[in-house]
Amino acid sequence: MIELDNVRKVYGDGTVAVDDVSLEVPEGETVTLVGPSGCGKTTTMTMVNRLTEITEGDVRIDGESIQDTDVIDLRRNIGYVIQEIGLFEHMTIAENISIVPDLRGWDEERKQERVEELLELIQLPQDVKTQYPANLSGGQRQRVGVARAMAAEPDIILMDEPFGALDPITRDELQDEFLDIQQKLDTTIMFVTHDIDEALKMGDRVAVLRDGELVQYDAPKDLLGSPKNEFVANFIGEDRVLKQLSAVTVREVMNAPQVGEGAGENPLSPDDSLKVALQRIFQQGDPLPVVEDGEVVGQVSEADIQAVTDRRTSEVLQ
Amino acid sequence: MSWAAALALLDVPLSSVFTGWIDYIGANWDQFLTLLRGHLVMVGIGELLAILIAVPAGILATRDPRLARIIENLGAVAQTIPALGVIALTFTFLGLGKRPTILAITIYALFPILKNTVAGIQNVEEADVRAGRGMGMTNVQRLRRIELPLALPVIFAGIRTSTVLCVGVAYIGVFVGAGGLGTWIQAGLTTVNYDVMLAGAIPGALTVIAFDRGFSVLEGMVTPEGVSRDTTEGGAAA
């Protein structure tokens, strides 16, 4: 668990980059930090590995202040991914991935095994091991960047706009792959992005920052359902209701199935989003059965979906 | 042919240009070897000293911007002192012979190496440095594993430039009795003998070409695999 406790960062010229931010990242969760440029999101994140030194306040990892840990040890125990990727072009892919294990003194065999394991995880062929970053595509390089951060099995990974430099399609692909990977691990992740859609997609919780202050810190669906103020609502965008539909699953709104109802031809799964449900309802009719493991577990209607967005919208804009 | 006309204006007999100097070297082979060896020894020692001073100084300069200004200015000033001036100023306590000449060579060679060391390290991507820090590399590890390997081709280009310069500087050693190929140039000048003059000058020119080519190959060898070989930015230091 990472705890930021009233942290402040004031630069020498008096600029306040981060002002009194407190937030907790629970063990194994992903928190995305999002906001317009200059909002202090990267500064806030890099306080955790002390690339930014805190002016006031404290950061604790599993209860222990990072000020009490040797800074080199601290960083070797925290994975770090940057937007520019920062792969070392004079090192092979295998060498790049095994930098932190190497710094921590793993033997050759263990490093090799780990490299092979990670290449499999990020779905790159084993023969890239001996290649150089220049031989890889942008998407492949960023996969390697992620693998490098995971190499020494850190409990925490910091990601600074990791997919920001990629084209939209590759970006989407990597986001999905990373979500998959993340489910297999239980790493605590801080993820900086300026893209609200990415923040909502990747984060278990989203921290919205503005001018160095934490404006709202909530789970994606709560952020969508009840933005705290106009700034957050505007930042989320006019398609807030649609985004909200993407963030809520059928399981959360479905009703008990009517007795004797069949599964139909193309039933919904409880893990489908309301956006998928709404589309099916428009195509196939209302209501639709929800099927899990071959059994009808519920049903969902257009009115159920409408109720979610109505309730949430009215909560916000009182 | 214009170059022939130019030579005629300079009153250089064509026979000197084509065969005279070769004949002279052939007839004085042992002396030639002694002079050439003396020349190369001075260049070699002077250059080596310059590398030993300039590379660490360049690394130091990249650690602190204030230090960088001081070091780079010193390097630049060093190159503006005429080599002959260095010899004239120092032979009183270094004595006559090779030592003041080597000092002049070293001072002259410093700047290109210094400049390229600084440029080479500064050219390393900011992101690479940040990634290294973020992953928990110490300053020394970052220098040794990232900055120096990536800067090496550029540093080498500086060494190449300065070596080429120093082959020329070594010629003036003759004024303090240091020997070297300058000996024949001076002898040729005093007796107005073009064969002798060219026998001193042309081997120096060929040495420069050989060094330039040789270093170019070495540069290719120190360029890490995976890095596209492009030293043009820092390579044109002098």
Side-chain angles (χ1 to χ4, degrees):
Chain A
M1 183 169 75
I2 310 170
E3 293 164 89
L4 275 67
D5 191 0
N6 299 99
V7 291
R8 250 169 87 83
K9 176 67 190 178
V10 184
Y11 285 107
D13 62 358
T15 319
V16 181
V18 176
D19 197 3
D20 204 24
V21 167
S22 294
L23 62 86
E24 268 179 30
V25 186
E27 185 97 43
E29 284 200 12
T30 300
V31 163
T32 47
L33 304 176
V34 69
S37 50
C39 70
K41 51 192 189 294
T42 297
T43 312
T44 304
M45 187 185 78
T46 50
M47 283 173 169
V48 176
N49 66 359
R50 288 177 64 184
L51 282 180
T52 302
E53 291 290 354
I54 304 167
T55 313
E56 271 172 52
D58 196 13
V59 174
R60 285 185 296 275
I61 293 175
D62 296 330
E64 201 179 324
S65 167
I66 57 167
Q67 304 298 331
D68 299 338
T69 319
D70 175 64
V71 66
I72 297 295
D73 284 337
L74 177 80
R75 289 175 186 163
R76 288 181 189 171
N77 284 310
I78 297 177
Y80 185 45
V81 187
I82 59 177
Q83 179 179 4
E84 305 90 329
I85 309 177
L87 292 186
F88 303 127
E89 54 175 343
H90 61 297
M91 297 183 188
T92 62
I93 299 306
E95 284 166 347
N96 264 292
I97 293 178
S98 47
I99 286 171
V100 181
D102 191 53
L103 291 172
R104 286 168 69 164
W106 291 18
D107 62 47
E108 207 51 47
E109 199 183 334
R110 189 167 166 212
K111 279 190 286 186
Q112 280 309 313
E113 269 174 32
R114 185 65 182 145
V115 167
E116 284 165 21
E117 205 175 287
L118 284 164
L119 285 176
E120 202 164 306
L121 190 68
I122 58 171
Q123 300 175 28
L124 285 186
Q126 294 292 334
D127 58 20
V128 302
K129 268 191 288 193
T130 51
Q131 289 182 0
Y132 289 90
N135 304 122
L136 271 55
S137 71
Q140 289 175 321
R141 279 204 291 272
Q142 195 51 289
R143 283 185 179 88
V144 174
V146 171
R148 184 172 68 173
M150 298 193 298
E153 294 168 338
D155 296 327
I156 294 171
I157 298 181
L158 306 180
M159 306 179 90
D160 191 358
E161 307 223 14
F163 309 133
L166 303 171
D167 64 86
I169 295 172
T170 313
R171 180 176 215 206
D172 216 47
E173 232 174 73
L174 257 75
Q175 287 171 345
D176 291 336
E177 279 176 28
F178 188 70
L179 283 173
D180 274 353
I181 291 173
Q182 200 187 323
Q183 287 196 319
K184 295 176 202 160
L185 310 168
D186 90 286
T187 313
T188 309
I189 294 167
M190 275 181 112
F191 188 117
V192 162
T193 175
H194 64 265
D195 175 357
I196 184 69
D197 292 313
E198 186 171 64
L200 294 167
K201 178 175 178 181
M202 305 305 287
D204 296 312
R205 289 160 192 247
V206 180
V208 183
L209 287 104
R210 179 199 197 182
D211 299 335
E213 287 175 35
L214 182 63
V215 183
Q216 187 168 3
Y217 183 43
D218 265 317
K221 56 173 189 265
D222 297 327
L223 194 77
L224 289 163
S226 31
K228 203 168 179 177
N229 56 27
E230 217 178 312
F231 169 75
V232 179
N234 287 338
F235 196 69
I236 292 169
E238 286 176 353
D239 55 344
R240 187 164 62 82
V241 172
L242 290 178
K243 282 174 182 160
Q244 194 182 342
L245 293 179
S246 307
V248 181
T249 60
V250 166
R251 192 189 299 279
E252 294 170 67
V253 301
M254 66 186 184
N255 298 308
Q258 273 165 6
V259 187
E261 192 184 10
E265 267 175 40
N266 194 6
L268 287 166
S269 146
D271 296 321
D272 282 334
S273 70
L274 293 189
K275 193 175 168 186
V276 173
L278 198 61
Q279 181 169 336
R280 294 267 185 80
I281 287 171
F282 287 162
Q283 288 170 333
Q284 292 165 237
D286 195 20
L288 275 185
V290 183
V291 172
E292 190 171 30
D293 300 328
E295 220 175 294
V296 179
V297 293
Q299 68 166 18
V300 71
S301 69
E302 194 182 331
D304 298 330
I305 297 171
Q306 175 86 53
V308 172
T309 58
D310 280 352
R311 174 161 51 80
R312 292 220 155 105
T313 311
S314 58
E315 270 170 23
V316 190
L317 307 167
Q318 321 101 339
Chain B
M1 287 164 100
S2 60
W3 59 271
L7 285 173
L9 271 178
L10 287 169
D11 202 20
V12 180
L14 281 176
S15 63
S16 291
V17 178
F18 287 116
T19 56
W21 63 277
I22 299 175
D23 293 342
Y24 187 81
I25 289 174
N28 301 280
W29 185 244
D30 286 342
Q31 198 198 353
F32 172 71
L33 287 184
T34 310
L35 293 180
L36 181 65
R37 197 182 313 123
H39 204 95
L40 294 181
V41 164
M42 286 189 289
V43 171
I45 296 176
E47 184 67 28
L48 197 68
L49 288 174
I51 294 171
L52 291 177
I53 297 167
V55 173
I59 292 171
L60 218 60
T62 58
R63 303 298 104 175
D64 182 352
R66 277 169 307 174
L67 212 56
R69 265 199 303 281
I70 298 170
I71 291 175
E72 285 194 63
N73 285 335
L74 281 178
V77 167
Q79 214 179 27
T80 61
I81 305 172
L84 204 55
V86 174
I87 290 178
L89 285 172
T90 58
F91 83 93
T92 48
F93 56 93
L94 287 177
L96 292 173
K98 288 196 165 57
R99 276 191 288 180
T101 315
I102 289 172
L103 182 69
I105 291 173
T106 302
I107 289 178
Y108 240 66
L110 282 177
F111 188 59
I113 306 175
L114 188 68
K115 196 176 168 195
N116 276 36
T117 304
V118 172
I121 292 176
Q122 281 174 348
N123 280 355
V124 173
E125 298 282 339
E126 215 274 314
D128 287 16
V129 177
R130 197 150 41 89
R133 279 183 69 200
M135 285 190 292
M137 288 187 181
T138 62
N139 290 340
V140 175
Q141 282 167 336
R142 229 165 51 229
L143 186 70
R144 207 171 53 78
R145 291 178 181 224
I146 301 170
E147 292 169 307
L148 280 183
L150 289 172
L152 206 55
V154 183
I155 297 175
F156 244 77
I159 294 174
R160 169 177 159 195
T161 310
S162 74
T163 306
V164 164
L165 272 175
C166 290
V167 172
V169 175
Y171 271 98
I172 58 165
V174 66
F175 294 117
V176 281
L181 293 168
T183 309
W184 277 358
I185 299 215
Q186 203 199 21
L189 277 171
T190 45
T191 58
V192 200
N193 183 333
Y194 290 108
D195 287 355
V196 183
M197 233 186 285
L198 291 172
I202 293 176
L206 294 177
T207 306
V208 164
I209 295 171
F211 273 144
D212 196 51
R213 287 294 146 85
F215 272 111
S216 172
V217 172
L218 274 178
E219 237 171 87
M221 285 164 57
V222 299
T223 303
E225 226 180 308
V227 177
S228 63
R229 199 180 156 213
D230 177 19
T231 54
T232 45
E233 257 179 281

